[in-house]
């Protein structure tokens, strides 16, 4: 006991020494930053004073440009230095509160004595910047902490494998620079530390897990070889957290060649984007590019169509069972998301190589300039061995050449001069500046007139030029309509009804969600599309919601990207993904698959309750954190339902639970529940447009809760009527597994058959 106390004192003394080093470094940095800030302000204020401006002669213009460029580069360098210093200050402030969470004593082969390696969220060197006091959790040597127990161990460095022996492995809980806990442990992160982290309340932002990374999670984080890293993880297994730490690791490992702009995350919804937005900044990294698949589709379609979102589609599948076209719509959704449908499009494109393409007509001032038939004949005059996109390029080049000739002729027409006479004073002034740039003699009336005519005609032709340069010659909408009408041998038997529904939506300028990817895929196959080569690592969360067709589409959009693919087949909730192939279970060349079966989010009682809802649930391992048993309450009417939920919310609040979710099946049910409960309790309604949430009690549909955790979850109506169909099983499971500490289900009538009666 006395030895333990002495060890505790030594560790606390070291924390205090670290604080002194941090304090000294902060003072030095803040003094340096003050000078940098003053320099930046001074440079901005006096920017033009230090620039020589002379535009009298060409040589003077070049000298002026060089002067401006040098001044801008000097300012940018000063701003960059200030930003880097600010980031270092933020890292030091975080270290000051909790400098490290782990230690290993490692004796390298051939060395005398073991070195004490302290591990934290970032590295720290001594005041002379000679020796490491703390190692960054991403450093190669830190992998010893996550992957090995005391005894023989090794780690990989860029120069090779380092072998040795771990003599001690210790974990710390440090808060406010005070040592609160200290545990010597084996291979996995000890239960005491996990209990401390997991036993707290849920936050409105995802927490960093660097202090509690498990061995299997570390394998995900440090994987550098796999083209496709596929992670099948049960609810609460930490797969998303590990993926975000993986992004931080990659930015650290390849910091000289990789930036946050080279990494993109496809997340399930904007709310989730907000939920995970602080993880990378907490680790001292800039956030990666974050989007949703829906946002990506909208960015591609522009303003031509309204694109149905996946939430509208799932609302339809969960609520429109009585509508006449319901069965056919579901059949259409499943088929249009399949690889077979993609192959249909490929066959269609092959046929269009020889005939059948539909082109736009181009009009100039209300009169036909190039007819669709004229462009059609020009396109098919080129050799059919040339790909469609390349023939479009040749066609476009010919039309642009003709357009230049047309523009020269058009400038001499009366309408151009008439329009020139109506120009505003500002237009003349702009023309004057343009003339100066082009060394035109503005005193010469003929030159002035010629310049203005050229400008006016170019303005009218701008849209046509833009479309021709962008190879936007085809009528993609007409081609997709024809494709839907063409004969398909292997299609669903209800294809005529599916076609009719789709055409009706397109007539209303709406693209159904199941048609959005095929439509863009067809467009890309015909027009060609410059791939996104900037993104080198793509993270796809909730991958079970992506169809094989969507994955093939993404592979074409990001051909140079490695992919980290995360999901849980038990949370597949969309019509196309239930009992069907998805991105998560596709066979990919060059993939490595990691399966996570241990759930850390929920208490042991909640995991044991929820795993009975799904096939194979017995394989899910609960973390040994005890809590209250989930409850199931059946009521006879809405009045009793709302009374029970309101009483439960009050009880949960008194217990100190800060995030309470009342999870409904759909947005329609969420709205109805909100209208009733809002009269009696403080509650907020979350919709698909919601970008962030605060602590408190919220009502939301189950599909918006994906990936997020709450202190307590109340399932609004867990009845057989609401959750009785097999296709609703995964949605029900998803709702229940959001709970960290308490789960309470209310049922209006007989409860769902997915709830075990054992």
């Amino acid at each position: 006991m006395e030895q333990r106390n002495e060890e505790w004192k030594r560790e606390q003394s070291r924390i205090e020494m670290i604080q002194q080093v941090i304090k000294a470094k902060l003072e030095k940095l803040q003094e340096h930053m003050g000078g940098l800030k003053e320099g930046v302000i001074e440079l901005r204020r006096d920017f033009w004073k230090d620039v020589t401006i002379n535009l009298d002669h060409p040589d003077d213009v070049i000298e002026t440009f060089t002067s401006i460029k040098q001044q801008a580069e000097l300012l940018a360098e000063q701003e960059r230095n200030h930003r880097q210093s600010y980031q270092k200050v933020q890292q030091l402030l975080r270290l000051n509160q909790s400098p490290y969470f782990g230690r290993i004593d490692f004796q390298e082969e051939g060395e005398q004595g073991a070195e004490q390696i302290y591990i934290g969220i970032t590295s720290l060197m001594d005041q002379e910047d000679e020796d490491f006091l703390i190692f960054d959790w991403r450093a190669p040597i830190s992998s010893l902490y996550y992957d090995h127990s005391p005894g023989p161990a090794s780690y990989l460095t860029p120069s090779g494998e380092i072998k040795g022996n771990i003599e001690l492995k210790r974990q710390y809980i440090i808060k406010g620079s005070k040592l609160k806990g200290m545990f010597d442990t084996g291979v996995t992160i000890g239960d005491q530390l996990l209990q401390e982290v997991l036993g707290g309340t849920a936050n409105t932002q995802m927490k960093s897990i660097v202090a509690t990374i498990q061995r299997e999670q570390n394998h995900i984080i440090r994987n550098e070889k796999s083209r496709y890293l596929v992670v099948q993880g049960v609810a609460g297994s930490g797969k998303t957290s590990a993926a975000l730490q993986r992004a931080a690791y990659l930015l650290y490992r390849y910091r000289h060649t990789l930036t946050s702009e080279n990494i993109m995350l496809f997340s399930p919804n904007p709310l989730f984007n907000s939920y995970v937005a602080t993880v990378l900044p907490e680790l001292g990294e800039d956030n990666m590019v974050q989007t949703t698949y829906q946002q990506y589709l909208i960015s591609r379609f522009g303003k031509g169509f309204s694109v149905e979102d996946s939430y509208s589609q799932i609302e339809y599948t969960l609520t429109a069972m009585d509508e006449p076209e319901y069965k056919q719509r579901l059949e259409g959704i499943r088929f249009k998301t399949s690889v077979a449908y993609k192959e249909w499009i490929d066959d269609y494109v092959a046929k269009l190589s020889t005939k059948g393409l539909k082109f736009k007509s181009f009009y100039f001032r209300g009169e036909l300039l190039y007819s669709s038939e004229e462009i059609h004949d020009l396109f098919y005059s080129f050799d059919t061995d040339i790909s469609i996109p390349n023939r479009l390029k040749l066609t476009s080049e010919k039309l642009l050449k003709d357009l230049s000739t047309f523009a020269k002729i058009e400038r001499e027409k009366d309408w151009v001069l008439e329009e020139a006479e109506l120009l505003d004073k500002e237009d003349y002034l702009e023309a004057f500046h343009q003339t100066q740039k082009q060394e035109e003699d503005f005193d010469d009336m003929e030159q002035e007139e010629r310049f203005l005519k050229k400008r006016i005609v170019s303005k009218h032709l701008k849209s046509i030029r833009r479309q021709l340069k962008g190879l936007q010659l085809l009528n993609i909408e007409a081609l997709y309509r024809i494709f839907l009408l063409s004969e398909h041998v292997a299609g669903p038997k209800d294809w005529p009804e599916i076609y009719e529904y789709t055409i009706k939506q397109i007539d209303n300028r709406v693209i159904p969600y199941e048609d959005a990817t095929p439509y863009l895929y067809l467009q890309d196959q015909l027009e060609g599309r410059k791939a996104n080569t900037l993104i080198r690592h793509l993270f796809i969360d909730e991958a079970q919601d992506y169809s094989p067709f969507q994955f093939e589409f993404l592979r074409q959009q990001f051909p140079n990207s490695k992919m980290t693919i995360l999901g849980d087949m038990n949370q597949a909730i969309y019509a196309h993904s239930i009992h069907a192939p998805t991105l998560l279970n596709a066979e990919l060349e060059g993939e490595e698959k990691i399966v996570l079966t241990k759930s850390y989010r929920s208490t042991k009682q909640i995991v044991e309750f929820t795993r009975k809802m799904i096939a194979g649930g017995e394989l899910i391992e609960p973390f040994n954190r005890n809590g209250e048993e989930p409850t199931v309450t059946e009521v006879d009417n809405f009045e009793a339902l709302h009374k029970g939920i309101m009483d439960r919310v009050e009880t949960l609040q008194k217990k100190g639970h800060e995030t309470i979710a009342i999870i409904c099946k759909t947005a329609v049910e969420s709205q109805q529940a909100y209208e009733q409960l809002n009269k009696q309790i403080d509650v907020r309604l979350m919709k698909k447009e919601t970008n962030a949430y605060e602590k408190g009690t919220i009502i939301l549909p189950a599909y918006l809760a994906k990936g997020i955790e709450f202190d307590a979850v109340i399932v609004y109506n867990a009845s057989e009527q609401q959750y009785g169909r097999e296709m609703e099983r995964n949605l029900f499971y998803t709702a229940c597994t959001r709970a960290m500490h308490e789960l309470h289900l209310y049922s209006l009538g007989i409860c769902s058959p997915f709830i075990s009666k054992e």
Side-chain angles (χ1 to χ4, degrees), residues 14 17-18 20-25 92 95 122-136:
R14 188 180 193 277
M17 179 272 290
I18 292 288
Q20 292 304 312
V21 174
I22 290 172
K23 182 181 178 182
K25 285 181 176 283
L92 288 171
L95 281 182
T122 189
S123 58
L124 178 72
M125 300 192 79
D126 60 20
Q127 293 198 42
E128 291 74 33
D129 287 336
E130 292 178 354
D131 297 314
F132 280 98
L133 298 175
I134 303 171
F135 284 83
D136 192 295

PDB file of all heavy atoms in Angstrom, residues 14 17-18 20-25 92 95 122-136:
ATOM      1  N   ARG A  14       4.989  14.190 -11.637  1.00  0.00           N
ATOM      2  CA  ARG A  14       5.327  14.293 -13.064  1.00  0.00           C
ATOM      3  C   ARG A  14       4.292  15.147 -13.799  1.00  0.00           C
ATOM      4  O   ARG A  14       4.640  15.946 -14.678  1.00  0.00           O
ATOM      5  CB  ARG A  14       5.397  12.905 -13.708  1.00  0.00           C
ATOM      6  CG  ARG A  14       5.938  12.953 -15.138  1.00  0.00           C
ATOM      7  CD  ARG A  14       6.011  11.572 -15.780  1.00  0.00           C
ATOM      8  NE  ARG A  14       6.803  11.630 -17.001  1.00  0.00           N
ATOM      9  CZ  ARG A  14       6.354  12.009 -18.184  1.00  0.00           C
ATOM     10  NH1 ARG A  14       5.091  12.398 -18.314  1.00  0.00           N
ATOM     11  NH2 ARG A  14       7.157  12.035 -19.239  1.00  0.00           N
ATOM     12  N   MET A  17       5.159  18.640 -13.214  1.00  0.00           N
ATOM     13  CA  MET A  17       6.315  19.031 -14.026  1.00  0.00           C
ATOM     14  C   MET A  17       5.881  19.320 -15.462  1.00  0.00           C
ATOM     15  O   MET A  17       6.321  20.302 -16.082  1.00  0.00           O
ATOM     16  CB  MET A  17       7.357  17.907 -14.002  1.00  0.00           C
ATOM     17  CG  MET A  17       8.601  18.179 -14.840  1.00  0.00           C
ATOM     18  SD  MET A  17       8.445  17.641 -16.582  1.00  0.00           S
ATOM     19  CE  MET A  17       8.445  15.856 -16.368  1.00  0.00           C
ATOM     20  N   ILE A  18       4.983  18.474 -15.984  1.00  0.00           N
ATOM     21  CA  ILE A  18       4.456  18.668 -17.344  1.00  0.00           C
ATOM     22  C   ILE A  18       3.737  20.013 -17.424  1.00  0.00           C
ATOM     23  O   ILE A  18       3.884  20.759 -18.403  1.00  0.00           O
ATOM     24  CB  ILE A  18       3.493  17.521 -17.724  1.00  0.00           C
ATOM     25  CG1 ILE A  18       4.249  16.193 -17.868  1.00  0.00           C
ATOM     26  CG2 ILE A  18       2.720  17.847 -19.002  1.00  0.00           C
ATOM     27  CD1 ILE A  18       5.125  16.086 -19.085  1.00  0.00           C
ATOM     28  N   GLN A  20       4.360  22.697 -15.777  1.00  0.00           N
ATOM     29  CA  GLN A  20       5.350  23.780 -15.826  1.00  0.00           C
ATOM     30  C   GLN A  20       5.923  23.931 -17.231  1.00  0.00           C
ATOM     31  O   GLN A  20       6.120  25.050 -17.722  1.00  0.00           O
ATOM     32  CB  GLN A  20       6.479  23.499 -14.816  1.00  0.00           C
ATOM     33  CG  GLN A  20       6.051  23.580 -13.361  1.00  0.00           C
ATOM     34  CD  GLN A  20       5.434  24.930 -13.014  1.00  0.00           C
ATOM     35  OE1 GLN A  20       5.985  25.994 -13.347  1.00  0.00           O
ATOM     36  NE2 GLN A  20       4.286  24.902 -12.353  1.00  0.00           N
ATOM     37  N   VAL A  21       6.183  22.813 -17.881  1.00  0.00           N
ATOM     38  CA  VAL A  21       6.704  22.854 -19.254  1.00  0.00           C
ATOM     39  C   VAL A  21       5.663  23.481 -20.180  1.00  0.00           C
ATOM     40  O   VAL A  21       5.982  24.342 -21.012  1.00  0.00           O
ATOM     41  CB  VAL A  21       7.078  21.435 -19.743  1.00  0.00           C
ATOM     42  CG1 VAL A  21       7.473  21.466 -21.228  1.00  0.00           C
ATOM     43  CG2 VAL A  21       8.215  20.867 -18.906  1.00  0.00           C
ATOM     44  N   ILE A  22       4.408  23.054 -20.017  1.00  0.00           N
ATOM     45  CA  ILE A  22       3.326  23.596 -20.853  1.00  0.00           C
ATOM     46  C   ILE A  22       3.179  25.094 -20.621  1.00  0.00           C
ATOM     47  O   ILE A  22       3.039  25.874 -21.568  1.00  0.00           O
ATOM     48  CB  ILE A  22       1.994  22.860 -20.557  1.00  0.00           C
ATOM     49  CG1 ILE A  22       2.060  21.416 -21.077  1.00  0.00           C
ATOM     50  CG2 ILE A  22       0.808  23.596 -21.193  1.00  0.00           C
ATOM     51  CD1 ILE A  22       0.876  20.554 -20.676  1.00  0.00           C
ATOM     52  N   LYS A  23       3.236  25.508 -19.350  1.00  0.00           N
ATOM     53  CA  LYS A  23       3.101  26.928 -19.025  1.00  0.00           C
ATOM     54  C   LYS A  23       4.192  27.757 -19.707  1.00  0.00           C
ATOM     55  O   LYS A  23       3.927  28.813 -20.305  1.00  0.00           O
ATOM     56  CB  LYS A  23       3.164  27.115 -17.506  1.00  0.00           C
ATOM     57  CG  LYS A  23       2.976  28.563 -17.065  1.00  0.00           C
ATOM     58  CD  LYS A  23       3.071  28.673 -15.538  1.00  0.00           C
ATOM     59  CE  LYS A  23       2.929  30.139 -15.111  1.00  0.00           C
ATOM     60  NZ  LYS A  23       3.078  30.281 -13.629  1.00  0.00           N
ATOM     61  N   ALA A  24       5.429  27.256 -19.651  1.00  0.00           N
ATOM     62  CA  ALA A  24       6.550  27.975 -20.269  1.00  0.00           C
ATOM     63  C   ALA A  24       6.382  28.059 -21.783  1.00  0.00           C
ATOM     64  O   ALA A  24       6.630  29.104 -22.400  1.00  0.00           O
ATOM     65  CB  ALA A  24       7.867  27.282 -19.919  1.00  0.00           C
ATOM     66  N   LYS A  25       5.958  26.950 -22.381  1.00  0.00           N
ATOM     67  CA  LYS A  25       5.767  26.935 -23.833  1.00  0.00           C
ATOM     68  C   LYS A  25       4.616  27.857 -24.244  1.00  0.00           C
ATOM     69  O   LYS A  25       4.685  28.534 -25.276  1.00  0.00           O
ATOM     70  CB  LYS A  25       5.504  25.498 -24.314  1.00  0.00           C
ATOM     71  CG  LYS A  25       6.759  24.622 -24.341  1.00  0.00           C
ATOM     72  CD  LYS A  25       6.445  23.217 -24.854  1.00  0.00           C
ATOM     73  CE  LYS A  25       7.710  22.392 -24.969  1.00  0.00           C
ATOM     74  NZ  LYS A  25       8.532  22.714 -26.155  1.00  0.00           N
ATOM     75  N   LEU A  92      -1.772  22.708 -26.510  1.00  0.00           N
ATOM     76  CA  LEU A  92      -1.167  22.796 -25.184  1.00  0.00           C
ATOM     77  C   LEU A  92      -2.223  23.008 -24.100  1.00  0.00           C
ATOM     78  O   LEU A  92      -2.109  22.451 -23.001  1.00  0.00           O
ATOM     79  CB  LEU A  92      -0.145  23.933 -25.151  1.00  0.00           C
ATOM     80  CG  LEU A  92       1.160  23.677 -25.918  1.00  0.00           C
ATOM     81  CD1 LEU A  92       1.992  24.944 -26.004  1.00  0.00           C
ATOM     82  CD2 LEU A  92       1.967  22.553 -25.265  1.00  0.00           C
ATOM     83  N   LEU A  95      -3.725  19.675 -23.456  1.00  0.00           N
ATOM     84  CA  LEU A  95      -2.789  18.842 -22.695  1.00  0.00           C
ATOM     85  C   LEU A  95      -2.732  19.258 -21.234  1.00  0.00           C
ATOM     86  O   LEU A  95      -2.550  18.426 -20.347  1.00  0.00           O
ATOM     87  CB  LEU A  95      -1.385  18.945 -23.297  1.00  0.00           C
ATOM     88  CG  LEU A  95      -1.073  18.124 -24.548  1.00  0.00           C
ATOM     89  CD1 LEU A  95       0.377  18.327 -24.955  1.00  0.00           C
ATOM     90  CD2 LEU A  95      -1.337  16.642 -24.321  1.00  0.00           C
ATOM     91  N   THR A 122      -1.567  14.405 -28.173  1.00  0.00           N
ATOM     92  CA  THR A 122      -0.565  15.004 -29.057  1.00  0.00           C
ATOM     93  C   THR A 122       0.781  14.913 -28.348  1.00  0.00           C
ATOM     94  O   THR A 122       0.855  14.616 -27.152  1.00  0.00           O
ATOM     95  CB  THR A 122      -0.914  16.468 -29.402  1.00  0.00           C
ATOM     96  OG1 THR A 122      -0.033  16.935 -30.424  1.00  0.00           O
ATOM     97  CG2 THR A 122      -0.808  17.381 -28.201  1.00  0.00           C
ATOM     98  N   SER A 123       1.851  15.140 -29.081  1.00  0.00           N
ATOM     99  CA  SER A 123       3.186  15.002 -28.500  1.00  0.00           C
ATOM    100  C   SER A 123       3.597  16.281 -27.763  1.00  0.00           C
ATOM    101  O   SER A 123       3.086  17.372 -28.030  1.00  0.00           O
ATOM    102  CB  SER A 123       4.205  14.672 -29.588  1.00  0.00           C
ATOM    103  OG  SER A 123       4.204  15.677 -30.578  1.00  0.00           O
ATOM    104  N   LEU A 124       4.543  16.127 -26.847  1.00  0.00           N
ATOM    105  CA  LEU A 124       5.103  17.265 -26.114  1.00  0.00           C
ATOM    106  C   LEU A 124       6.575  16.985 -25.863  1.00  0.00           C
ATOM    107  O   LEU A 124       6.936  15.919 -25.363  1.00  0.00           O
ATOM    108  CB  LEU A 124       4.372  17.466 -24.779  1.00  0.00           C
ATOM    109  CG  LEU A 124       4.908  18.612 -23.910  1.00  0.00           C
ATOM    110  CD1 LEU A 124       4.520  19.960 -24.521  1.00  0.00           C
ATOM    111  CD2 LEU A 124       4.387  18.503 -22.480  1.00  0.00           C
ATOM    112  N   MET A 125       7.415  17.964 -26.208  1.00  0.00           N
ATOM    113  CA  MET A 125       8.846  17.826 -25.949  1.00  0.00           C
ATOM    114  C   MET A 125       9.234  18.703 -24.763  1.00  0.00           C
ATOM    115  O   MET A 125       8.485  19.597 -24.355  1.00  0.00           O
ATOM    116  CB  MET A 125       9.641  18.220 -27.194  1.00  0.00           C
ATOM    117  CG  MET A 125       9.313  17.351 -28.405  1.00  0.00           C
ATOM    118  SD  MET A 125      10.447  17.551 -29.785  1.00  0.00           S
ATOM    119  CE  MET A 125      11.825  16.553 -29.231  1.00  0.00           C
ATOM    120  N   ASP A 126      10.414  18.431 -24.211  1.00  0.00           N
ATOM    121  CA  ASP A 126      10.869  19.218 -23.074  1.00  0.00           C
ATOM    122  C   ASP A 126      11.189  20.652 -23.514  1.00  0.00           C
ATOM    123  O   ASP A 126      11.100  20.984 -24.703  1.00  0.00           O
ATOM    124  CB  ASP A 126      12.069  18.557 -22.397  1.00  0.00           C
ATOM    125  CG  ASP A 126      13.261  18.403 -23.349  1.00  0.00           C
ATOM    126  OD1 ASP A 126      13.310  19.108 -24.374  1.00  0.00           O
ATOM    127  OD2 ASP A 126      14.141  17.557 -23.062  1.00  0.00           O
ATOM    128  N   GLN A 127      11.573  21.489 -22.568  1.00  0.00           N
ATOM    129  CA  GLN A 127      11.759  22.909 -22.876  1.00  0.00           C
ATOM    130  C   GLN A 127      12.903  23.150 -23.852  1.00  0.00           C
ATOM    131  O   GLN A 127      12.926  24.155 -24.559  1.00  0.00           O
ATOM    132  CB  GLN A 127      11.996  23.694 -21.583  1.00  0.00           C
ATOM    133  CG  GLN A 127      10.753  23.718 -20.695  1.00  0.00           C
ATOM    134  CD  GLN A 127      10.812  24.809 -19.655  1.00  0.00           C
ATOM    135  OE1 GLN A 127      11.218  25.918 -19.949  1.00  0.00           O
ATOM    136  NE2 GLN A 127      10.391  24.492 -18.431  1.00  0.00           N
ATOM    137  N   GLU A 128      13.855  22.210 -23.926  1.00  0.00           N
ATOM    138  CA  GLU A 128      14.962  22.343 -24.878  1.00  0.00           C
ATOM    139  C   GLU A 128      14.624  21.718 -26.226  1.00  0.00           C
ATOM    140  O   GLU A 128      15.449  21.732 -27.148  1.00  0.00           O
ATOM    141  CB  GLU A 128      16.229  21.674 -24.309  1.00  0.00           C
ATOM    142  CG  GLU A 128      16.839  22.383 -23.112  1.00  0.00           C
ATOM    143  CD  GLU A 128      16.033  22.170 -21.847  1.00  0.00           C
ATOM    144  OE1 GLU A 128      15.436  21.076 -21.692  1.00  0.00           O
ATOM    145  OE2 GLU A 128      15.976  23.103 -21.017  1.00  0.00           O
ATOM    146  N   ASP A 129      13.406  21.133 -26.334  1.00  0.00           N
ATOM    147  CA  ASP A 129      12.967  20.453 -27.555  1.00  0.00           C
ATOM    148  C   ASP A 129      13.942  19.358 -27.986  1.00  0.00           C
ATOM    149  O   ASP A 129      14.235  19.161 -29.167  1.00  0.00           O
ATOM    150  CB  ASP A 129      12.778  21.455 -28.713  1.00  0.00           C
ATOM    151  CG  ASP A 129      11.541  22.315 -28.530  1.00  0.00           C
ATOM    152  OD1 ASP A 129      10.613  21.873 -27.819  1.00  0.00           O
ATOM    153  OD2 ASP A 129      11.503  23.422 -29.091  1.00  0.00           O
ATOM    154  N   GLU A 130      14.425  18.599 -26.981  1.00  0.00           N
ATOM    155  CA  GLU A 130      15.362  17.512 -27.262  1.00  0.00           C
ATOM    156  C   GLU A 130      14.732  16.138 -27.050  1.00  0.00           C
ATOM    157  O   GLU A 130      14.952  15.216 -27.820  1.00  0.00           O
ATOM    158  CB  GLU A 130      16.603  17.652 -26.376  1.00  0.00           C
ATOM    159  CG  GLU A 130      17.467  18.870 -26.726  1.00  0.00           C
ATOM    160  CD  GLU A 130      18.665  19.006 -25.804  1.00  0.00           C
ATOM    161  OE1 GLU A 130      18.755  18.231 -24.830  1.00  0.00           O
ATOM    162  OE2 GLU A 130      19.510  19.902 -26.052  1.00  0.00           O
ATOM    163  N   ASP A 131      13.963  15.979 -25.977  1.00  0.00           N
ATOM    164  CA  ASP A 131      13.381  14.676 -25.633  1.00  0.00           C
ATOM    165  C   ASP A 131      11.864  14.769 -25.545  1.00  0.00           C
ATOM    166  O   ASP A 131      11.312  15.792 -25.127  1.00  0.00           O
ATOM    167  CB  ASP A 131      13.936  14.183 -24.284  1.00  0.00           C
ATOM    168  CG  ASP A 131      15.437  13.957 -24.349  1.00  0.00           C
ATOM    169  OD1 ASP A 131      15.892  13.344 -25.335  1.00  0.00           O
ATOM    170  OD2 ASP A 131      16.141  14.408 -23.423  1.00  0.00           O
ATOM    171  N   PHE A 132      11.194  13.648 -25.919  1.00  0.00           N
ATOM    172  CA  PHE A 132       9.738  13.577 -25.831  1.00  0.00           C
ATOM    173  C   PHE A 132       9.314  13.317 -24.390  1.00  0.00           C
ATOM    174  O   PHE A 132       9.757  12.354 -23.763  1.00  0.00           O
ATOM    175  CB  PHE A 132       9.195  12.457 -26.721  1.00  0.00           C
ATOM    176  CG  PHE A 132       9.093  12.835 -28.170  1.00  0.00           C
ATOM    177  CD1 PHE A 132      10.086  12.472 -29.070  1.00  0.00           C
ATOM    178  CD2 PHE A 132       8.003  13.559 -28.634  1.00  0.00           C
ATOM    179  CE1 PHE A 132       9.999  12.827 -30.404  1.00  0.00           C
ATOM    180  CE2 PHE A 132       7.901  13.918 -29.961  1.00  0.00           C
ATOM    181  CZ  PHE A 132       8.908  13.557 -30.859  1.00  0.00           C
ATOM    182  N   LEU A 133       8.449  14.186 -23.878  1.00  0.00           N
ATOM    183  CA  LEU A 133       7.808  13.941 -22.578  1.00  0.00           C
ATOM    184  C   LEU A 133       6.506  13.172 -22.772  1.00  0.00           C
ATOM    185  O   LEU A 133       6.103  12.385 -21.913  1.00  0.00           O
ATOM    186  CB  LEU A 133       7.520  15.268 -21.876  1.00  0.00           C
ATOM    187  CG  LEU A 133       8.748  16.135 -21.544  1.00  0.00           C
ATOM    188  CD1 LEU A 133       8.303  17.463 -20.961  1.00  0.00           C
ATOM    189  CD2 LEU A 133       9.678  15.399 -20.585  1.00  0.00           C
ATOM    190  N   ILE A 134       5.832  13.429 -23.892  1.00  0.00           N
ATOM    191  CA  ILE A 134       4.584  12.736 -24.248  1.00  0.00           C
ATOM    192  C   ILE A 134       4.656  12.385 -25.727  1.00  0.00           C
ATOM    193  O   ILE A 134       5.066  13.210 -26.554  1.00  0.00           O
ATOM    194  CB  ILE A 134       3.347  13.623 -23.994  1.00  0.00           C
ATOM    195  CG1 ILE A 134       3.294  14.086 -22.539  1.00  0.00           C
ATOM    196  CG2 ILE A 134       2.062  12.876 -24.346  1.00  0.00           C
ATOM    197  CD1 ILE A 134       2.223  15.144 -22.261  1.00  0.00           C
ATOM    198  N   PHE A 135       4.237  11.167 -26.067  1.00  0.00           N
ATOM    199  CA  PHE A 135       4.179  10.740 -27.460  1.00  0.00           C
ATOM    200  C   PHE A 135       2.745  10.840 -27.973  1.00  0.00           C
ATOM    201  O   PHE A 135       1.797  10.495 -27.262  1.00  0.00           O
ATOM    202  CB  PHE A 135       4.665   9.291 -27.607  1.00  0.00           C
ATOM    203  CG  PHE A 135       6.162   9.140 -27.516  1.00  0.00           C
ATOM    204  CD1 PHE A 135       6.790   9.061 -26.277  1.00  0.00           C
ATOM    205  CD2 PHE A 135       6.946   9.083 -28.657  1.00  0.00           C
ATOM    206  CE1 PHE A 135       8.161   8.924 -26.174  1.00  0.00           C
ATOM    207  CE2 PHE A 135       8.328   8.951 -28.577  1.00  0.00           C
ATOM    208  CZ  PHE A 135       8.936   8.873 -27.337  1.00  0.00           C
ATOM    209  N   ASP A 136       2.596  11.313 -29.203  1.00  0.00           N
ATOM    210  CA  ASP A 136       1.290  11.341 -29.868  1.00  0.00           C
ATOM    211  C   ASP A 136       0.756   9.915 -29.992  1.00  0.00           C
ATOM    212  O   ASP A 136       1.495   8.987 -30.315  1.00  0.00           O
ATOM    213  CB  ASP A 136       1.447  11.973 -31.266  1.00  0.00           C
ATOM    214  CG  ASP A 136       0.115  12.302 -31.909  1.00  0.00           C
ATOM    215  OD1 ASP A 136      -0.652  11.366 -32.203  1.00  0.00           O
ATOM    216  OD2 ASP A 136      -0.159  13.492 -32.140  1.00  0.00           O
TER     217      ASP A 136
END
